[in-house]
Every structure is written in structure tokens, then in C-alpha cells.
Amino acid sequence: MSTGWHVVRPLGRLDPDRGVAALVDGVQVAIFRTGDGLYAIDNRDPVAEAYVLSRGIVGSRQGVPTVASPLHKQVHDLRTGVCLDLPGVAVTRHEIRCRNGMVEVRLRQEG
């Protein structure tokens, strides 16, 4: 797995408050564009063990940008990957940026 930045897609092709899945260096990543910014987390739902978080419901909880799993509805903080409903459960958060109109992701290995 590389540690560099990977171009995913143009910023204009990311719909606000909707997720999109991208394969980044062999890892499925869920990417979100909200009014607060860009977020990238693993696409794998740790509860359902399915690659579905990019299809989750984007929202907020007490001002925190979130995504709710489309399967079991657990809510994850998009800034940290932490599940707000189940203590000790989280998804890996990845670095994301927009450079020259292109969204780029850099994978993180946590744990």
C-alpha cells in the first residue's frame, strides 16, 4: 500500500451530502462532500461487515458531520470515523484534500 496522494475525481463530480465509493490503492473508501468540507472513511461497515457506508445517510448530530449506515443505521462521525452509537467501534479515517479542482485521498493505516 502506498502512502502518497491518489486522485479520485473532480470536485464538481461530488454531490453535496451524498457519498461515493472509490477504490484507492486496493482499499474501498467512502468519500463525502458536505457543507463543512470533504471526508474520507473506509467504505466497510464494521457492524454489517459489508462495503456500504458510501450509500449511507449523511447528516449531523449536535453539529458533528455524520453518516448513518444504510443497513443497521449506526452513525459514524465523518471527522474521526468513530461510531457514535456503539462504544469502541470505528472505521478508519483517511486524509482528503482538493487540489487544483481534483479530490485526492491519502490512505491511513490505524490500529
Side-chain angles (χ1 to χ4, degrees):
M1 182 182 319
S2 93
T3 57
W5 289 96
H6 299 268
V7 174
V8 176
R9 68 187 325 149
L11 179 64
R13 291 196 53 215
L14 288 179
D15 293 331
D17 298 323
R18 302 210 50 195
V20 64
L23 190 61
V24 178
D25 201 21
V27 176
Q28 282 195 37
V29 176
I31 297 170
F32 302 92
R33 178 182 180 186
T34 72
D36 297 327
L38 295 169
Y39 302 95
I41 60 175
D42 275 355
N43 194 33
R44 186 175 183 273
D45 180 333
V47 175
E49 298 183 3
Y51 292 90
V52 296
L53 288 179
S54 62
R55 295 181 177 196
I57 301 165
V58 177
S60 66
R61 186 181 282 180
Q62 298 177 343
V64 172
T66 61
V67 63
S69 169
L71 297 179
H72 297 292
K73 309 302 184 236
Q74 285 85 9
V75 175
H76 292 268
D77 182 334
L78 286 173
R79 301 169 309 171
T80 64
V82 170
C83 182
L84 302 177
D85 298 323
L86 299 172
V89 175
V91 294
T92 301
R93 175 186 65 85
H94 302 287
E95 294 180 70
I96 189 167
R97 69 183 182 188
C98 182
R99 194 169 133 189
N100 299 323
M102 298 299 289
V103 175
E104 299 178 338
V105 172
R106 182 163 59 186
L107 297 178
R108 286 188 150 179
Q109 290 187 346
E110 297 180 359

